[in-house]
Every structure is written in C-alpha cells, then in structure tokens.
Amino acid sequence: MFKRLKEKWKLSWTSFVLVFSTFAIGGSSCGYLGRKLLTLTGLESGVFYYVLYIVLMCLLWPLCVIIVSIPMGQFGFFRNYLRKMSQTIFGVSSKAPKPQNGSFSVKKRNLALFASGAGSNAQKIIEHFEGHPSIRVSLIVCNKPGAGVLQIAANNDVPVLMIEKKDFEHGNMYVKELSKYEIDFIVLAGFLWKMPEAFLNAFPRHMINIHPSLLPKFGGKGMYGSRVHEAVIAAGEKESGITIHYVNAHYDEGEHLFQATCTVDATDTPDTLASKVHALEHLHFARVIEDVIEGKL
Ligand code: GRF
C-alpha cells in the first residue's frame, strides 16, 4: 500500500516518510486543537457538539498540515495537495482554459522536459514559462526513480512520465505517450540516454539539449556531470561554458544554437567549475528555449 502511494505521489522514500509524518502530526494536532476549542463552548455531547466538531476539523485540518509541512520541508507537496483537494471539492480546475475577452485563449505549445538529475534547470524552466502566453511545461519525462526532478515536478504540479530503457530504445510506445500530452517540443536537461530514432523522427528540429562544456570539446558518450569539469581542468583549459544544441543520433553532436563562456581559474576544482557552469545554464537556458520555439534563433 505504501509503495503504491509513494509511486502515486512520485516521492522518494525520504520525502514519503516526511509527508506521511506531516499527515500524522498535522492530523493529531488538529484533533487536539478541535477538542480544546470545543471545551470553550461548554458543550460536551449532543448533535450540535458533533456538527461543530466536524466543521472545526474541516477548517483546522488544512491549516494544521500546512503549518507542520513547513518545518518538515514538504510545503510544496501540501500546497499542491490542498489545491487539488479544493479543486475536487469545489469542482474548479486550474488547468481549464480561461476565457479571454469572451473567447478561449490560443493553443499553447507544450514542452516536455526530459530530466533525470537534481532538476535545477527544470526548476528554472518551469519558473520561466509560468504564466507564459504561448508556451507551457506540460510533462517531465524521467528514467530515474527518486531523482530530485520528481520532487520539482510534484511541487509545481507538472505531470511525470517514468520511462524504462527497453521500451524507450525499441518501438514508439513513448512517442505515442507524448502525443497524449500533445507535446510539440522536447528539452533535455540532464537526460543521459541517447535519443532513439522514433523520437528523432517524431521531433525533427524540435528537440534540444544543454551540455556543460564548450562543444565540440568535452562531449560525447560518458561525458556528463563532474567528468566534464574534471576533464576541462585536467586539459588546462582557460575557458569553459555551456552549449545548447539540437539533438541528433549522436551524443552532443547536433547543430549548435547557443554558447556562453566562463573562465577556468587556476584555483578552480570540478565543483567550483560546475557551479559557474550551472549559473550560466540557469541564466540562459530557458530564454534560449523560448527563442528557439518562437523561431527567433
Ligand atoms: C546540467 O549541467 C546540464 O548541462 C547537463 O545535466 C545537468 C543537469 O543539471 N545536461 P540539473 O539536474 O538541471 O541540476
């Protein structure tokens, strides 16, 4: 039962335990507070007592869990949980298209983010397109259970598609899955598997990747994460940076769209260089995505 709930909520085991504890602590403090407040009314039993008790529980419960979720570090999860709950109860959906000047808004382009790491780029991209008039992040595709990006998806209410290597590499099951979300454009942000033909054919010039070096240097199979920065420092490079490029059938070889540079200082370690490169990614990636989708690049 716990496993099924954990998968439904798309949480790592640590977050799941914290969320579960929040429900438990929030729920019991709500019961305790409710009873304390009822003693002030002087009532001890009877229909009115129970009606009042239920009303108090309904009002106090969301308040208690949201307060407890803050020190538990689970505020994002509970904010979305309560939002969804109120949508179910009151029948309002934040996903429904909103009328504008009497008509419905133009169809948005749907972006799928493929990410299997911490998801700091995914977070920036989601923030950038929040409220955007014509582009929205509609799906996060991930191949790593427990990846940080799954928590980011949950916090931001973005649906997740978990994928398996065998099905990804053979056939077009996941291409079909993406069409259910009407995906127009794919962004790889920390996704390490090579793109199979089915995806390349379905998204020609509609799929881009970010790489943490100045390609063509320090790219290719096995060049990811700190390995890139270690290699840059070992080679005595004076400059590193980021490359945003179209995706083709070979690792990191698609046509370049954008590069930005940073210095590599004598004192840099792979970690300090990684921070400089991440800062460049966070500064430029979302804007470049927007420019590519809008045909400005
Ligand atoms: C980034 O450094 C990106 O260049 C590479 O994967 C990393 C993802 O980082 N392709 P994060 O998960 O977005 O923090």
Side-chain angles (χ1 to χ4, degrees):
M1 182 192 99
F2 287 139
K3 194 158 181 271
R4 223 176 310 144
L5 253 187
K6 174 189 163 287
E7 275 157 19
K8 184 175 169 218
W9 288 340
K10 300 184 189 83
L11 296 171
S12 65
W13 275 113
T14 316
S15 307
F16 180 76
V17 169
L18 290 169
V19 161
F20 214 78
S21 314
T22 307
F23 273 120
I25 301 169
S28 31
S29 16
C30 164
Y32 175 79
L33 266 177
R35 280 190 300 276
K36 279 273 167 225
L37 285 174
L38 274 176
T39 55
L40 300 178
T41 65
L43 291 167
E44 279 174 12
S45 60
V47 180
F48 193 58
Y49 174 91
Y50 289 108
V51 171
L52 207 58
Y53 185 72
I54 292 169
V55 172
L56 268 177
M57 287 300 108
C58 294
L59 294 174
L60 286 175
W61 186 82
L63 200 69
C64 289
V65 287
I66 207 83
I67 291 172
V68 177
S69 75
I70 298 169
M72 293 294 224
Q74 301 303 317
F75 178 75
F77 175 91
F78 280 91
R79 186 192 55 202
N80 288 330
Y81 187 89
L82 293 175
R83 193 191 297 151
K84 275 189 202 152
M85 206 168 115
S86 65
Q87 281 165 6
T88 311
I89 295 170
F90 302 112
V92 214
S93 168
S94 61
K95 295 263 155 87
K98 295 185 180 69
Q100 282 182 353
N101 303 328
S103 66
F104 284 108
S105 53
V106 286
K107 186 186 172 303
K108 290 198 180 190
R109 251 101 34 110
N110 293 312
L111 196 64
L113 295 180
F114 281 50
S116 293
S120 66
N121 280 285
Q123 176 68 50
K124 290 282 167 197
I125 295 165
I126 292 169
E127 281 167 16
H128 181 89
F129 289 110
E130 213 157 66
H132 191 282
S134 60
I135 300 168
R136 78 173 141 227
V137 178
S138 304
L139 183 67
I140 287 188
V141 179
C142 180
N143 62 20
K144 203 165 159 202
V149 70
L150 297 175
Q151 185 65 56
I152 288 169
N155 291 348
N156 291 281
D157 222 0
V158 179
V160 169
L161 173 67
M162 293 302 293
I163 58 172
E164 301 282 340
K165 194 156 195 171
K166 186 167 51 68
D167 296 321
F168 180 66
E169 286 175 344
H170 305 287
N172 66 351
M173 168 180 148
Y174 290 130
V175 171
K176 281 192 190 147
E177 202 62 39
L178 257 65
S179 70
K180 290 186 193 157
Y181 293 88
E182 299 183 29
I183 299 302
D184 304 285
F185 202 89
I186 293 177
V187 171
L188 313 187
F191 185 75
L192 302 181
W193 293 350
K194 201 197 270 185
M195 270 296 151
E197 219 175 277
F199 273 94
L200 295 171
N201 292 338
F203 294 92
R205 289 179 85 79
H206 279 66
M207 195 181 333
I208 65 174
N209 177 44
I210 187 161
H211 184 79
S213 79
L214 295 172
L215 291 173
K217 286 180 171 181
F218 310 104
K221 191 169 165 51
M223 270 297 179
Y224 58 86
S226 60
R227 292 183 188 191
V228 177
H229 309 303
E230 281 160 17
V232 168
I233 291 172
E237 296 287 319
K238 295 281 168 272
E239 243 187 2
S240 190
I242 59 169
T243 305
I244 299 170
H245 62 92
Y246 282 120
V247 176
N248 68 12
H250 307 281
Y251 280 115
D252 305 323
E253 287 186 19
E255 184 189 325
H256 293 184
L257 288 156
F258 177 86
Q259 288 191 312
T261 59
C262 61
T263 58
V264 181
D265 301 317
T267 51
D268 269 328
T269 64
D271 281 350
T272 59
L273 183 54
S275 305
K276 289 184 189 175
V277 168
H278 252 121
L280 287 177
E281 294 181 336
H282 298 163
L283 185 65
H284 297 289
F285 198 18
R287 183 191 46 80
V288 171
I289 295 167
E290 183 177 5
D291 285 353
V292 175
I293 294 178
E294 291 186 337
K296 295 180 192 155
L297 245 183

